[in-house]
Amino acid sequence: MLWVTRLSGFFSAAMVMVVLSPSLQSFPPAEAIRSSQFDGSVRFPGQIAGGARGIAFRRAPSFRNAADCGGGGAGNGTAANVCDPSLVHIAITLDEEYLRGSVAAVHSVVQHARCPESVFFHFLVSDPGLGDLVRAVFPQLRFKVYYFDPDRVQGLISTSVRQALEQPLNYARNYLADLLEPCVRRVIYLDSDLVLVDDVAKLWRTDLGGRTVGAPEYCHANFTKYFTGRFWSDQRFAGTFAGRRPCYFNTGVMVLDLERWRQAGYTQRIERWMEIQKSPPGRIYELGSLPPFLLVFAGHVAPIEHRWNQHGLGGDNVLGSCRDLHPGPVSLLHWSGSGKPWARLGAGRPCPLDALWAPFDLYGPAGAGAGAEESR
């Protein structure tokens, strides 16, 4: 009954926020958090699925397309028909450190999608064995695992404000156009520390207006802080933004036109800036994989509604600081920053908004599933 008590506390926190927060009151009920779906994922935890290294997850509840979806069909954990034009393609990384978040993100997508069997996941990994875990947790999921060789980018990575931002897999998004099949012409890239509370098909249908990248832009942010004094003092670098109106955008949620990306060779352009960063006489930026994206795309981004990336919930790189939502409707909650909801919940020190992540969490200690089965 301990998990019931904890869940009650989570929902109490969520209800307090709904009452107190104008931003949470602003999104339409149909696009909000559907408590009936949350109940199904935690009331019947099912059996434990998982693999080596002591990682254990409950099997996700089953899902199916609405009657009017058409196409799609159950995936049974196979990569068949990846070229089906009716599919919604999503790319996300899998690694042990963020695995709990990735599983929760996938769970949130299929729970809120009207046509979940028509969603195809492309998992980027440096440990191919993680694909077996996905298959066990999501038996119906349509997906394929792509191995990303850390050596491909290791020599280009420079130190950052957080060690997590220096991991090679964090740069795998730069290579989606190369890794995915040529028939995949568009993909949604999602970070591992987020959950959706809306139908991902709405994001998929975003009109990019001929642009390669679509993302929520934040033009009020201080754009200059993402680059060093060396960058701004050297016109060869600062002139990169001439004729552009560059705005900050978060690379954790992007809609990418892979066909245009391949034609323009954007992977090579990003790599070139990473090479400059590593060369003498010094650094031109400080923050991980983001600045090269800004250098190549800022000012040429198709703007997407802010509801699709309510970011910064991880505390803005300040450990232990709790953040509120930005004003406006919500379709995606993103715990960017150093504080992750699974870590804070595990430590017994959650922020209030972590209660909105918890119902998608499928992590469970070894043996918990068997005990749950016996108690029913």
Side-chain angles (χ1 to χ4, degrees), residues 233-248:
S233 64
D234 191 327
Q235 189 55 36
R236 293 175 303 168
F237 301 144
T240 300
F241 296 115
R244 297 156 62 177
R245 184 174 180 266
C247 296
Y248 162 75

Side-chain angles (χ1 to χ4, degrees), residues 156 175 236-237 265-279 284-285 292 295-296:
L156 295 173
Y175 299 91
R236 293 175 303 168
F237 301 144
Y266 284 122
T267 295
Q268 290 71 34
R269 298 191 195 186
I270 290 174
E271 286 182 331
R272 179 55 185 150
W273 280 113
M274 295 175 69
E275 291 169 354
I276 293 173
Q277 163 81 345
K278 296 279 286 186
S279 65
I284 59 172
Y285 57 80
L295 286 161
V296 174

Side-chain angles (χ1 to χ4, degrees), residues 2-348:
L2 180 59
W3 68 271
V4 175
T5 303
R6 289 176 176 172
L7 181 61
S8 175
F10 293 151
F11 279 120
S12 297
M15 289 302 296
V16 168
M17 285 184 293
V18 169
V19 172
L20 297 180
S21 173
S23 60
L24 276 173
Q25 293 174 345
S26 66
F27 57 80
E31 299 174 4
I33 301 162
R34 298 204 283 267
S35 61
S36 62
Q37 293 178 344
F38 283 6
D39 291 344
S41 67
V42 294
R43 186 172 295 157
F44 306 106
Q47 73 181 69
I48 291 290
R53 300 177 293 275
I55 302 172
F57 290 85
R58 298 185 297 277
R59 179 170 294 170
S62 60
F63 53 83
R64 63 183 181 214
N65 280 357
D68 60 347
C69 286
N76 296 319
T78 70
N81 301 319
V82 66
C83 296
D84 182 344
S86 70
L87 295 175
V88 171
H89 294 276
I90 297 176
I92 190 169
T93 60
L94 292 179
D95 71 317
E96 282 197 32
E97 184 176 358
Y98 283 80
L99 186 59
R100 190 170 172 182
S102 298
V103 169
V106 173
H107 187 199
S108 73
V109 170
V110 298
Q111 283 288 311
H112 286 93
R114 182 171 179 79
C115 306
E117 294 175 287
S118 300
V119 179
F120 195 104
F121 285 88
H122 304 263
F123 293 114
L124 313 176
V125 306
S126 295
D127 177 359
L130 294 177
D132 294 335
L133 184 143
V134 172
R135 188 170 291 106
V137 177
F138 299 100
Q140 296 173 269
L141 199 69
R142 306 183 75 172
F143 73 92
K144 182 176 178 180
V145 173
Y146 301 78
Y147 176 71
F148 179 72
D149 186 353
D151 290 340
R152 185 167 185 176
V153 73
Q154 189 74 63
L156 295 173
I157 297 174
S158 55
T159 56
S160 185
V161 293
R162 283 192 290 126
Q163 188 175 3
L165 300 179
E166 300 171 22
Q167 300 306 309
L169 202 57
N170 195 45
Y171 292 81
R173 74 195 81 188
N174 302 358
Y175 299 91
L176 285 170
D178 299 332
L179 294 169
L180 274 54
E181 288 78 359
C183 66
V184 180
R185 303 173 62 180
R186 170 182 285 218
V187 70
I188 296 172
Y189 177 82
L190 297 178
D191 269 353
S192 300
D193 52 356
L194 54 78
V195 294
L196 275 78
V197 290
D198 203 346
D199 187 352
V200 71
K202 298 177 183 177
L203 180 59
W204 175 256
R205 292 193 292 265
T206 298
D207 181 4
L208 297 183
R211 301 290 176 88
T212 303
V213 174
E217 290 185 297
Y218 303 89
C219 295
H220 63 279
N222 180 8
F223 189 80
T224 61
K225 71 178 183 179
Y226 296 102
F227 303 94
T228 65
R230 178 199 171 198
F231 177 90
W232 293 115
S233 64
D234 191 327
Q235 189 55 36
R236 293 175 303 168
F237 301 144
T240 300
F241 296 115
R244 297 156 62 177
R245 184 174 180 266
C247 296
Y248 162 75
F249 65 96
N250 181 281
T251 56
V253 180
M254 298 183 290
V255 181
L256 303 176
D257 184 330
L258 295 183
E259 188 173 38
R260 292 183 63 88
W261 184 297
R262 294 175 181 123
Q263 291 173 351
Y266 284 122
T267 295
Q268 290 71 34
R269 298 191 195 186
I270 290 174
E271 286 182 331
R272 179 55 185 150
W273 280 113
M274 295 175 69
E275 291 169 354
I276 293 173
Q277 163 81 345
K278 296 279 286 186
S279 65
R283 305 166 66 91
I284 59 172
Y285 57 80
E286 298 293 350
L287 190 63
S289 62
L290 170 64
F293 260 85
L294 297 179
L295 286 161
V296 174
F297 295 111
H300 299 305
V301 172
I304 293 177
E305 288 183 273
H306 288 178
R307 69 187 305 146
W308 287 107
N309 195 352
Q310 286 273 343
H311 68 291
L313 305 184
D316 202 23
N317 294 324
V318 180
L319 188 62
S321 64
C322 295
R323 300 286 292 273
D324 197 1
L325 292 174
H326 306 293
V330 179
S331 292
L332 184 151
L333 298 143
H334 187 186
W335 279 261
S336 58
S338 60
K340 303 306 176 187
W342 56 89
R344 294 192 293 225
L345 289 165

